[in-house]
Amino acid sequence: LTVTQREQEDDTPIKRFQRYLRINTAHPSPDYTSAVSFLQAQAHSLGLQTKTLHFAPGKPLLLLTWPGTHPSLPSLLLNSHLDSVPAEPAKWLHPPFAAHRTSDGRIFARGAQDDKCIAVQYLEAIRNLKAHSFSPRRTIHVSLVPDEEIGGLHGAAKFVESDHFRQLNVGFALDEGQASPGDEFRVFYADRIPWNVKIRARGSPGHGSRMFDSSAAENLMQSVEAVSRFRESQFDLVKAGKALNAEVVSVNPVYVKAGIASDDGFVMNVQPSEAEAGFDLRLTPTTDPEEMRRRIAAEWAPAVRNMSYEALTSPNYSFCDVILPGILSIGFKASHHISWLQMGSVDGDTNIGIIEKGPIRDDLGRPLMTATNDSNPWWSVFKQAITSVGEKLSRPEILASTTDARFLRQKGIPVLGFSPMKNTPILLHDHNEV
Ligand SMILES: CSCC[C@H](NC=O)C(=O)O
Ligand SMILES: [Zn+2]
Ligand SMILES: [Zn+2]
């Protein structure tokens, strides 16, 4: 092979994808610098304009622009995050940052699904369109943002508040979705709303041999059981086929902390005076946050049992509800409060599986969902684009997790979550992501 042939062989969409995957942008120390220079070079090879914005030191946001022939029309924004979650190399068949490609074409890499494939697909789509001398009417922007995996506070959250963003005049955006194990593509019109819930119990300490009521650990165990019952009630709806996975409230324990016992067995005879558990809780856009907080206060952390709780929305913590029994009672306004509409339910006593009657907004009037019907012209165009190439879409879904799309929706911009991977197992955040 000549050098040029070799270079050409090396410069295929797959190779470019592999090169991006080999840049380790996993937390806690993502190499944003290398990722941005790689993508910048790609953009220059495509003749796109590039701009790097900073909303926090060391956290670049790369913005690419393909000017349209009618730049006064609202623009399109294609968003993808630069960062990934960490990987445990020992649990992988191939190293997570080597982007090893097997003979059957699978590429093992952290970030392969979530969400470096999305950025590469945006760029390769632009490359194809340019190769066919296509000129878009509307200006197309691609944003490559930092810190999505840790809440987006220094990335998309700041970006949408910036003058720079306002000037982009975005009319519609695409962001990540999730792989589809079946033959139909999946599309997402809302994200769930994350709360970090910590419950704490206090009680008398004492000798490990003594039985007495209301120890901290006993209190916490009772609460954990209550959380568990609620979790089951939600999961049962999914199992019974009454709701999709993300149409219920999820709650999962993420840590439990108590005691001074050591696993060498030395001090395994002291009952702790404090015990704490942390939960990842996700509300749906139609969950009444007030009701959720009432449940937490009454059943999960009742002050009468010497318990307290903290329920924080991540990432901006602008809603904070901290109740310490007998000492302090503070309730701030929730940034994710919705104007609550009672809209019927699947089985009478829950608020699950609701068909909305109007747009669901938070208490600041900001939308939490994108319409997937004819009232949204972008939806029709999107659907048409899928069917025109002979593909199928499954019923639009709420994303179980939480992405930067929420910041755009809060600005009133319609956003669809779309990761075009069908017949693909869902491996985001998993070992052996391919
Ligand atoms: C709470 S904001 C964190 C966002 C993160 N996003 C992807 O996994 C998530 O946990 O859903
Ligand atoms: Zn992601
Ligand atoms: Zn992720």
Side-chain angles (χ1 to χ4, degrees):
L1 294 178
T2 67
V3 172
T4 329
Q5 276 171 326
R6 222 176 274 140
E7 271 170 7
Q8 277 168 357
E9 284 231 320
D10 249 16
D11 212 16
T12 61
I14 296 287
K15 295 281 179 188
R16 288 189 284 270
F17 183 34
Q18 285 173 299
R19 281 167 61 202
Y20 186 29
L21 290 170
R22 287 182 187 129
I23 301 169
N24 183 341
T25 53
H27 290 284
S29 46
D31 182 1
Y32 287 138
T33 312
S34 304
V36 166
S37 49
F38 169 76
L39 293 165
Q40 220 160 18
Q42 292 294 308
H44 288 146
S45 79
L46 291 169
L48 303 178
Q49 300 168 5
T50 71
K51 188 161 209 120
T52 309
L53 309 172
H54 278 93
F55 298 100
K59 302 194 182 279
L61 186 156
L62 179 63
L63 187 65
L64 314 178
T65 300
W66 185 9
T69 53
H70 294 61
S72 60
L73 290 173
S75 65
L76 305 181
L77 178 68
L78 309 174
N79 185 57
S80 170
H81 59 85
L82 297 162
D83 56 324
S84 306
V85 289
E88 296 170 73
K91 311 258 170 74
W92 286 57
L93 288 170
H94 302 283
F97 298 100
H100 174 76
R101 189 171 180 222
T102 58
S103 54
D104 59 354
R106 291 183 302 158
I107 298 170
F108 284 72
R110 171 56 85 225
Q113 293 198 8
D114 181 15
D115 70 348
K116 286 179 170 166
C117 63
I118 313 295
V120 170
Q121 286 172 70
Y122 294 154
L123 292 173
E124 296 304 330
I126 292 172
R127 192 182 301 276
N128 285 340
L129 290 168
K130 289 212 166 203
H132 289 91
S133 307
F134 174 84
S135 314
R137 273 163 60 78
R138 295 171 190 272
T139 296
I140 297 171
H141 303 286
V142 181
S143 49
L144 299 142
V145 306
D147 283 9
E148 186 275 348
E149 295 290 3
I150 55 170
L153 186 56
H154 298 295
K158 291 263 163 60
F159 179 45
V160 302
E161 296 302 335
S162 69
D163 279 338
H164 204 101
F165 180 80
R166 248 186 304 283
Q167 284 157 19
L168 302 182
N169 186 23
V170 176
F172 173 67
L174 289 179
D175 198 356
E176 68 178 313
Q178 257 187 30
S180 166
D183 202 33
E184 299 179 334
F185 286 110
R186 298 167 74 196
V187 62
F188 301 85
Y189 62 92
D191 289 6
R192 287 196 300 183
I193 298 137
W195 282 15
N196 293 342
V197 177
K198 297 178 181 179
I199 60 175
R200 296 196 184 91
R202 290 177 303 154
S204 310
H207 196 283
S209 64
R210 288 185 60 215
M211 299 275 256
F212 52 87
D213 281 328
S214 299
S215 75
E218 187 212 345
N219 262 330
L220 188 73
M221 286 193 295
Q222 278 192 38
S223 292
V224 167
E225 280 170 17
V227 175
S228 193
R229 279 194 298 274
F230 174 75
R231 183 185 183 281
E232 240 173 77
S233 75
Q234 299 295 292
F235 201 14
D236 281 349
L237 291 168
V238 177
K239 288 176 180 163
K242 290 182 180 177
L244 292 178
N245 190 28
E247 290 171 349
V248 299
V249 176
S250 67
V251 56
N252 291 299
V254 287
Y255 73 83
V256 182
K257 234 172 26 188
I260 52 165
S262 59
D263 57 11
D264 58 16
F266 263 123
V267 282
M268 289 201 44
N269 57 4
V270 178
Q271 297 195 47
S273 62
E274 287 176 21
E276 177 177 327
F279 300 90
D280 178 320
L281 181 88
R282 309 272 168 148
L283 309 186
T284 78
T286 54
T287 310
D288 179 359
E290 287 301 339
E291 190 186 308
M292 198 65 233
R293 279 193 303 175
R294 276 196 298 274
R295 181 187 294 278
I296 296 171
E299 295 172 21
W300 299 3
V304 290
R305 281 204 281 112
N306 247 339
M307 297 199 56
S308 62
Y309 74 94
E310 227 173 82
L312 307 174
T313 63
S314 34
N316 57 14
Y317 305 111
S318 59
F319 148 52
C320 159
D321 201 87
V322 184
I323 308 292
L324 302 173
I327 305 169
L328 191 63
S329 171
I330 321 169
F332 295 105
K333 212 168 183 192
S335 69
H336 286 302
H337 273 193
I338 56 169
S339 348
W340 176 246
L341 306 164
Q342 187 60 47
M343 290 171 298
S345 64
V346 168
D347 55 5
D349 59 354
T350 74
N351 298 310
I352 308 303
I354 294 156
I355 306 301
E356 50 160 328
K357 281 189 187 142
I360 302 297
R361 293 167 182 272
D362 65 17
D363 62 343
L364 302 175
R366 302 177 304 188
L368 295 169
M369 302 211 230
T370 296
T372 48
N373 55 36
D374 293 341
S375 72
N376 173 7
W378 297 104
W379 168 250
S380 313
V381 171
F382 177 82
K383 220 169 66 173
Q384 163 70 17
I386 303 287
T387 48
S388 69
V389 291
E391 297 292 346
K392 284 200 195 100
L393 274 181
S394 47
R395 172 153 81 86
E397 295 168 67
I398 297 170
L399 194 70
S401 58
T402 310
T403 70
D404 288 336
R406 72 192 184 287
F407 300 119
L408 294 157
R409 291 199 185 99
Q410 285 166 2
K411 288 274 151 200
I413 297 167
V415 187
L416 295 174
F418 183 55
S419 291
M421 294 174 269
K422 60 171 195 174
N423 301 314
T424 304
I426 302 165
L427 293 171
L428 74 173
H429 297 208
D430 204 339
H431 304 322
N432 295 307
E433 185 177 353
V434 286

